[in-house]
Amino acid sequence: MEKVRLGIIGIGNMGTTHAKSLVEGKVPEMELAAVADRKESRRTWCKENLPENVAVFEEGKDLIASGTCDAVLVAVPHYQHPELSIDALDHDLHVLCEKPAGVYTKQVRAMNERAKASDKVFAMMFNQRTNCVYRKMHELVKSGELGAIKRVNWIITDWYRTQSYYDSGDWRATWDGEGGGVLLNQCPHNLDLLQWICGMPSKVQAFCHNGKWHDIEVEDDVTAYLEYPNGATGVFVTTTADAPGTNRFEITLEGGKLVCEDEKLVLHKLAVSEREFCKTAKGGFDKPECTVTEVETDGLNEQHVGVMKAFAGRILHGTPLIANGEEGINGLTLSNAMHLSSWLGHAVTLPFDEDLFKAELDKRRATSRKKEAVDVVFNTEGTY
């Protein structure tokens, strides 16, 4: 196999972007072989804008069974991610799944078990892991050179979305169609990075405000408190309604502090561990000596194209993925815990009761409103 023949299921905002990247040759070891979308207008767009040799299907399951592809990229509404991924694995196809891995952890756990039993490559589209700044944060924290984490703060409110965005699809911003709001649509990237860099918390308490700033039934404003097994604490704040928004990610460790903001990473490094200094300093108001430097990175940030390149590389050469598919459950565990905590009105410990979460979600799905279908596809360039 010289090139991986990829089929894209779902030609909406992101599916269109991925298709264009392949047609433009941005992923040299991968070619677009087929696409699928239930909307006739999107299939028409594909026939008019993609090469003639790209097969066009209405149903993802038909694309999967067609034999036209070696791998699929699943880019449909969230509830269908595990279903289509499992179907593809059952047909001996490699799978690259868009975020989130699913809507609730129980369905994703079944997907992960199927993937583990397969010899096919299973990957997640966690494109923010390609960002040089986040990669450097991961490296510095995991190396242990700055000691244990004491505090984590991430205010990520630059996911601004208009009412028009939410009106652009009948599935968007509904419990039954999307399964959640900002936590499940925009923040899977941030929640994945949070657990990838800092590890998983042991307790979560969250306050999710549904339709606070938009005419939607799901959350568009969230504040969450986290507790970690080692005693560290964290706060995670997000919304799709702040203009201008903020993206500031701080990690305070025993040996200093990392601050990620404005696409830069700044290290505040202590001359001696704070824990040691606290116990040995003689003055009540003494502070440990600190040097502040901007951390140098390799400057690379390939985003979605980088994930697809790595996916093709793993299939063809066995080289590393950006994110293994099984890891998708971790960030989803955080968003599920935040939703469940807000629904119940108290903190939840991890692991939480997955059946209880599913029951609470189903209550909301049962009364979810039906929206008029609107056929709009936006240009997503520069929005991630």
Side-chain angles (χ1 to χ4, degrees):
M1 187 192 305
E2 294 184 0
K3 284 191 175 185
V4 175
R5 298 174 302 159
L6 184 73
I8 299 178
I9 304 175
I11 305 297
N13 289 350
M14 290 313 307
T16 301
T17 300
H18 301 323
K20 289 177 179 177
S21 293
L22 293 178
V23 171
E24 292 168 4
K26 294 180 179 179
V27 187
E29 293 187 315
M30 185 174 281
E31 63 183 4
L32 183 61
V35 294
D37 200 289
R38 288 176 172 174
K39 289 184 177 180
E40 183 178 357
S41 62
R42 299 313 300 158
R43 297 195 300 275
T44 299
W45 179 90
C46 292
K47 292 171 183 176
E48 293 175 349
N49 292 275
L50 300 179
E52 291 183 1
N53 63 340
V54 176
V56 180
F57 297 88
E58 181 174 353
E59 290 292 335
K61 61 183 178 62
D62 293 332
L63 181 153
I64 288 169
S66 69
T68 58
C69 304
D70 307 305
V72 296
L73 195 168
V74 178
V76 294
H78 308 152
Y79 281 103
Q80 298 171 264
H81 288 186
E83 173 191 346
L84 287 168
S85 295
I86 290 171
D87 189 27
L89 291 166
D90 286 343
H91 283 80
D92 290 326
L93 298 179
H94 306 285
V95 175
L96 174 55
C97 184
E98 263 290 357
K99 56 79 184 170
V103 175
Y104 51 97
T105 53
K106 196 167 186 178
Q107 64 170 175
V108 172
R109 201 172 299 285
M111 176 176 67
N112 285 355
E113 289 172 0
R114 178 63 189 87
K116 287 177 183 177
S118 170
D119 63 353
K120 298 302 174 183
V121 176
F122 177 42
M124 281 297 302
M125 183 61 86
F126 285 140
N127 46 283
Q128 291 295 351
R129 289 199 194 185
T130 69
N131 188 316
C132 54
V133 176
Y134 296 131
R135 284 190 284 110
K136 197 65 176 181
M137 292 182 82
H138 178 266
E139 176 188 323
L140 289 170
V141 171
K142 296 302 181 183
S143 72
E145 64 182 271
L146 296 172
I149 294 175
K150 297 171 60 183
R151 189 179 310 280
V152 178
N153 290 289
W154 201 344
I155 176 169
I156 171 67
T157 60
D158 64 350
W159 290 119
Y160 187 73
R161 296 293 186 268
T162 64
Q163 187 63 42
S164 178
Y165 168 84
Y166 287 114
D167 293 342
S168 68
D170 56 357
W171 62 282
R172 285 195 183 281
T174 63
W175 292 116
D176 196 43
E178 189 163 16
V182 62
L183 289 177
L184 213 61
N185 191 312
Q186 287 76 32
C187 285
H189 293 301
N190 310 105
L191 295 175
D192 172 64
L193 291 170
L194 190 66
Q195 66 82 29
W196 185 54
I197 295 170
C198 303
M200 290 291 284
S202 53
K203 182 184 290 187
V204 173
Q205 175 132 24
F207 303 89
C208 302
H209 301 271
N210 297 332
K212 185 174 183 179
W213 306 109
H214 305 87
D215 180 19
I216 58 175
E217 64 186 34
V218 294
E219 82 286 350
D220 59 0
D221 194 306
V222 178
T223 298
Y225 165 75
L226 315 172
E227 286 186 5
Y228 289 85
N230 74 335
T233 59
V235 175
F236 183 83
V237 177
T238 191
T239 182
T240 54
D242 281 9
T246 298
N247 184 357
R248 183 179 174 91
F249 185 13
E250 287 190 13
I251 306 174
T252 300
L253 306 101
E254 294 171 329
K257 179 172 68 174
L258 290 167
V259 180
C260 174
E261 190 171 23
D262 298 328
E263 300 182 7
K264 295 188 298 184
L265 180 60
V266 176
L267 170 62
H268 303 247
K269 189 169 186 179
L270 302 180
V272 62
S273 165
E274 181 279 327
R275 291 289 76 204
E276 178 184 344
F277 186 85
C278 179
K279 296 170 184 175
T280 59
K282 302 305 179 184
F285 297 95
D286 290 352
K287 291 183 179 180
E289 181 183 339
C290 179
T291 56
V292 181
T293 56
E294 183 175 342
V295 179
E296 185 176 345
T297 70
D298 60 20
L300 299 177
N301 184 12
E302 288 194 298
Q303 292 291 317
H304 304 90
V305 167
V307 175
M308 288 193 284
K309 284 181 178 178
F311 182 54
R314 180 59 164 263
I315 295 169
L316 297 173
H317 315 296
T319 47
L321 293 168
I322 298 299
N324 292 314
E326 290 86 352
E327 295 181 54
I329 200 170
N330 297 332
L332 184 64
T333 295
L334 289 179
S335 66
N336 279 186
M338 290 177 188
H339 274 135
L340 186 59
S341 169
S342 187
W343 294 340
L344 300 179
H346 59 70
V348 300
T349 57
L350 277 60
F352 55 82
D353 185 333
E354 293 183 337
D355 290 325
L356 175 60
F357 177 87
K358 179 64 164 52
E360 289 293 328
L361 174 63
D362 285 346
K363 287 180 187 177
R364 287 152 180 83
R365 293 185 72 179
T367 58
S368 185
R369 69 182 181 182
K370 303 302 178 185
K371 295 168 61 179
E372 291 293 326
V374 179
D375 186 17
V376 178
V377 175
F378 294 112
N379 181 358
T380 62
E381 187 175 351
T383 65
Y384 35 80

